[in-house]
Amino acid sequence: MAPLDPHSFTDSHHPLTTDISLSLYLDFPSATIHGVAFFILKSPHVGQLSFDTRSLSIHQVLSPITLSLLPFSLSSSPDPIKGTQLSISLPGDDVLSSFFIVFSTSPSSSALQWLSPPQTFNKKHPFVYTQCQCIHARSIFPCQDTPAARIRYSASLNVPRELSAVMSARHVDRRSPVSGEGHSHLLPGGFNSLWCSETRVVEEFQMNQPIPPYLFAFAVGELGFREVGPRTRVYSEAVNSVLDAAAKEFAGTEEMIRQGEKLFGDYDWERFDLLVLPPSFPYGGMENPRMVFLTPTVIKGDASGAQVVAHELAHSWTGNLITNMNNEHFWLNEGFTTYAERRIVEAVQGEDRAILNTGIGWKGLNEEMERFKDNLEFTKLKNNQEGVDPDAVYSEVPYEKGFQFLWRIERQIGRPAFDEFIKKYIATFKFKSIDTHTFLKFLKANVPGIEKEIDLVLWTEGTGIPPDAYEPVSNLYTKIVSLANEFKLGRMPREDEVADWRGQEWELYLENLPKVIEASQVLALDERYRLSESKDYEVKVAFLQLAIMSQCRNFYGEVEKTLKEVGRMKYLRPLYRALVQGKGKEEDKILAKRVFSEARECYHPIARGVVESIFAKHL
């Protein structure tokens, strides 16, 4: 076997899947999906073919010609990172380039979160959504779960009639189910007969552009929407207050799309819709093509949450059009997208906003160097992830060091030349998956002599932050950092100095304070500015982290409340880590374990795993 990806069983000698057709019956009472998948390979194949699965039951593999059973086997014990290898034997007497797999998911699927009505906004209906990045599509359907395998897909989702579905694909139809349609007659366990129940409805979708499996996404619930632009609807559960707040926050989306097109070329995905998920969603946003998923914590009331939308929009060119070959080259997705996001923010919201964004990222990058000081491999852009869970080493390094690398190239050759370079890069590699070597080869071919001006090997393969990285400079940025430094001398900012501050300014200020201060200083800061009550979670969590590290227990009730009301890992990581890291602190550790035991069922499985890995390291 010649692995294509350290996180996949896919063999580089085997043909990759090009198209998948899915018939999925969503069974909410059992929190399972029963499905049939029809796979088309790039070329016919004889012999063993390896697929990735995790927590799936594989019922049958069938020939598309005769529906005869094809031999298959599952590895005897799951790999803790990659899951279970599905090996299919394709016959030599009838050379096949397609086949059916009949399967069921498990309630423990790492990609799916099934929410009961009390866990949703409307408290009336259940809800389910997916999160497949980095390697979780394999827990929904068997696949070659690597970004190297770009697929087109169609899907028929059979769901309760009172619910509706959205996907990272074009919506084709919503209609009553038809007996035997598609591949539904092959469903296991009697679900083929349940398919046509009067209480069910079929939602059909089509994705005609090839995407990596981690961008497969759907959500099902009682959904509503608001129109916010010619290419954009904002969806959420059908709760007017959420929909109205989201529509207001993201009213400027069309202008961001237009600015993105000026910078990077045509928007190739037709729609750019947004779905605000329940609070358990583990990320700020997920760049699913045509249907971006968002946490409700980005609705801040001042349009600053649109910066997350700018990041997910930027992925429409860098990440979705051009994708990293595997997670060892993740910076090609996130470094480029962070650069593109800041260019869009600069065009729409102004240079000061973009520089604040960059400054917060700069501080975060330096903190990641401290986090990985005992494992410097993960301070590299191109790193070795053999035997490593990508969720466990997820960090700001590919985002911020990747951004710094591209910013360094821009400073070297000038913005106009760099803009032309990026447009050519996107046009050359669109709908392809590439690695760092391919990018560097393209860079040197199109910017002759760049390797003499910039140490490309140091930037991509070296540890730490290169000496020619650059801290941003602006009057506002400098003022905020200066005020944070003055706090160390005992001076809090005056009210007139912070009168115009929004969440980003406060976030940057808090991030630049000492990690530990006197408990009395924490209390004084909150008494004056009520940071623990901030509606902006970036501000609230930065303040609560400071309170924990400073052992100011007055705010531990707010820490517990925050950990129980949101599931975004950006907030869970620092708060749980602050509670459990370091010697002693037994009361803090007891609190962390109790809160997690009470809140864990409200977290997405990916978030649960991240918290458990923090506990494994520090408890």
Side-chain angles (χ1 to χ4, degrees):
M1 179 176 178
L4 186 65
D5 181 325
H7 302 121
S8 173
F9 292 111
T10 304
D11 193 317
S12 62
H13 295 149
H14 294 169
L16 295 178
T17 305
T18 60
D19 297 84
I20 303 176
S21 178
L22 293 159
S23 297
L24 303 177
Y25 184 99
L26 279 71
D27 185 37
F28 278 84
S30 66
T32 54
I33 296 173
H34 304 284
V36 180
F38 179 63
F39 294 86
I40 298 177
L41 302 177
K42 187 175 182 179
S43 60
H45 184 68
V46 173
Q48 180 177 297
L49 186 70
S50 296
F51 272 40
D52 299 302
T53 76
R54 180 185 291 121
S55 303
L56 293 181
S57 296
I58 306 299
H59 303 294
Q60 295 176 319
V61 181
L62 302 169
S63 164
I65 302 170
T66 62
L67 293 186
S68 58
L69 296 175
L70 298 178
F72 72 90
S73 63
L74 295 166
S75 53
S76 57
S77 58
D79 181 278
I81 296 168
K82 294 189 286 189
T84 301
Q85 181 176 359
L86 168 63
S87 298
I88 302 168
S89 296
L90 297 180
D93 55 344
D94 191 9
V95 180
L96 297 176
S97 60
S98 61
F99 49 87
F100 291 103
I101 300 180
V102 184
F103 63 94
S104 298
T105 67
S106 159
S108 64
S109 166
S110 60
L112 293 164
Q113 185 169 25
W114 301 83
L115 299 174
S116 63
Q119 294 174 302
T120 67
F121 283 126
N122 65 23
K123 312 298 182 187
K124 297 177 184 177
H125 296 285
F127 195 96
V128 64
Y129 70 91
T130 62
Q131 175 55 40
C132 291
Q133 194 179 48
C134 298
I135 52 171
H136 300 282
R138 66 193 68 183
S139 69
I140 302 176
F141 59 97
C143 58
Q144 293 163 317
D145 195 4
T146 168
R150 302 181 73 99
I151 55 169
R152 292 176 292 268
Y153 74 86
S154 62
S156 296
L157 274 60
N158 186 300
V159 303
R161 185 170 289 275
E162 65 273 17
L163 306 182
S164 55
V166 293
M167 285 198 86
S168 58
R170 178 174 60 87
H171 187 246
V172 177
D173 197 11
R174 175 183 170 92
R175 55 171 178 75
S176 297
V178 177
S179 178
E181 65 178 311
H183 320 307
S184 62
H185 61 290
L186 299 175
L187 285 168
F191 286 96
N192 54 346
S193 58
L194 293 175
W195 183 272
C196 289
S197 167
E198 292 182 357
T199 64
R200 309 288 292 190
V201 69
V202 170
E203 300 263 24
E204 289 185 339
F205 299 88
Q206 186 82 36
M207 171 49 73
N208 292 321
Q209 295 152 302
I211 62 170
Y214 73 80
L215 292 177
F216 176 88
F218 66 78
V220 178
E222 186 189 31
L223 300 175
F225 66 86
R226 297 285 187 271
E227 301 280 358
V228 297
R231 290 180 273 191
T232 305
R233 287 177 174 178
V234 174
Y235 291 82
S236 80
E237 291 180 73
V239 176
N240 286 334
S241 60
V242 177
L243 285 165
D244 291 342
K248 181 180 178 182
E249 190 80 20
F250 308 129
T253 299
E254 178 61 25
E255 176 60 19
M256 289 196 295
I257 298 173
R258 287 198 293 262
Q259 292 297 333
E261 289 184 310
K262 287 180 183 178
L263 290 165
F264 311 119
D266 291 343
Y267 181 79
D268 279 333
W269 304 95
E270 186 183 6
R271 298 287 303 174
F272 183 72
D273 292 325
L274 310 171
L275 171 66
V276 178
L277 286 163
S280 61
F281 184 59
Y283 291 98
M286 182 61 209
E287 63 270 20
N288 309 308
R290 301 182 65 103
M291 184 61 68
V292 164
F293 285 6
L294 295 169
T295 168
T297 63
V298 301
I299 302 175
K300 302 181 181 183
D302 61 3
S304 62
Q307 291 196 15
V308 173
V309 174
H311 183 90
E312 307 313 328
L313 169 64
H315 268 302
S316 301
W317 292 275
T318 55
N320 296 5
L321 274 187
I322 306 174
T323 308
N324 49 237
M325 182 71 74
N326 60 53
N327 213 64
E328 295 181 330
H329 308 273
F330 191 45
W331 79 273
L332 288 169
N333 276 23
E334 297 300 349
F336 266 96
T337 298
T338 302
Y339 176 86
E341 166 204 347
R342 288 170 183 158
R343 291 294 304 278
I344 294 171
V345 168
E346 180 181 325
V348 175
Q349 298 185 354
E351 187 177 6
D352 269 347
R353 287 289 124 197
I355 289 178
L356 286 182
N357 185 311
T358 302
I360 292 167
W362 174 256
K363 184 66 176 176
L365 178 60
N366 280 271
E367 290 177 354
E368 297 289 28
M369 296 303 119
E370 176 65 21
R371 173 187 167 192
F372 290 117
K373 64 183 179 182
D374 297 325
N375 199 344
L376 292 174
E377 180 68 22
F378 301 111
T379 68
K380 300 176 181 178
L381 289 182
K382 175 177 174 284
N383 51 65
N384 180 7
Q385 294 193 18
E386 186 67 44
V388 175
D389 184 343
D391 290 329
V393 294
Y394 178 89
S395 79
E396 293 188 46
V397 172
Y399 295 75
E400 298 298 340
K401 188 174 178 181
F403 163 80
Q404 285 284 340
F405 180 34
L406 299 172
W407 201 24
R408 173 69 184 88
I409 299 170
E410 182 206 278
R411 293 197 304 275
Q412 183 64 42
I413 68 176
R415 177 167 283 189
F418 192 60
D419 285 352
E420 290 305 310
F421 169 79
I422 286 188
K423 286 180 179 178
K424 185 175 181 181
Y425 168 71
I426 292 169
T428 301
F429 295 108
K430 65 189 301 185
F431 295 114
K432 295 179 182 177
S433 300
I434 68 170
D435 58 16
T436 301
H437 171 76
T438 301
F439 168 73
L440 293 178
K441 183 179 178 182
F442 183 80
L443 174 66
K444 288 185 281 189
N446 286 274
V447 187
I450 189 68
E451 68 274 19
K452 297 175 183 176
E453 305 295 336
I454 300 174
D455 190 336
L456 303 180
V457 175
L458 176 66
W459 269 101
T460 55
E461 299 182 34
T463 60
I465 302 175
D468 50 346
Y470 189 69
E471 182 175 7
V473 176
S474 77
N475 290 336
L476 179 58
Y477 176 81
T478 303
K479 175 186 175 183
I480 294 169
V481 173
S482 176
L483 287 171
N485 289 332
E486 287 182 16
F487 186 91
K488 301 169 188 176
L489 304 175
R491 187 176 93 79
M492 277 196 294
R494 300 187 309 270
E495 291 192 14
D496 64 294
E497 291 177 306
V498 302
D500 297 329
W501 283 15
R502 293 192 283 173
Q504 267 193 312
E505 286 88 340
W506 277 113
E507 183 184 358
L508 182 64
Y509 177 78
L510 291 167
E511 292 288 349
N512 279 277
L513 293 182
K515 293 299 177 193
V516 179
I517 60 178
E518 295 295 327
S520 60
Q521 292 178 297
V522 178
L523 289 166
L525 195 58
D526 191 64
E527 184 178 358
R528 182 175 293 185
Y529 295 114
R530 300 299 181 192
L531 299 176
S532 66
E533 302 169 13
S534 175
K535 302 301 182 185
D536 187 324
Y537 278 89
E538 311 290 332
V539 176
K540 174 186 273 194
V541 169
F543 176 79
L544 294 177
Q545 186 180 9
L546 177 67
I548 296 169
M549 298 300 290
S550 303
Q551 292 287 284
C552 187
R553 297 185 179 277
N554 302 59
F555 299 101
Y556 279 31
E558 194 62 42
V559 170
E560 178 172 347
K561 179 184 173 186
T562 301
L563 288 172
K564 287 182 174 180
E565 68 187 7
V566 297
R568 186 178 176 183
M569 294 188 292
K570 184 177 184 180
Y571 308 142
L572 302 185
R573 277 192 186 95
L575 293 181
Y576 276 114
R577 196 178 285 136
L579 286 170
V580 302
Q581 69 183 3
K583 296 180 180 179
K585 300 174 62 175
E586 291 308 313
E587 288 184 39
D588 289 13
K589 294 176 180 179
I590 291 170
L591 172 65
K593 289 189 284 188
R594 177 179 64 78
V595 170
F596 181 58
S597 69
E598 295 171 3
R600 59 173 290 129
E601 292 308 314
C602 294
Y603 295 160
H604 188 279
I606 296 173
R608 275 182 234 149
V610 165
V611 177
E612 287 166 351
S613 70
I614 291 171
F615 284 5
K617 181 176 180 180
H618 296 288
L619 293 179

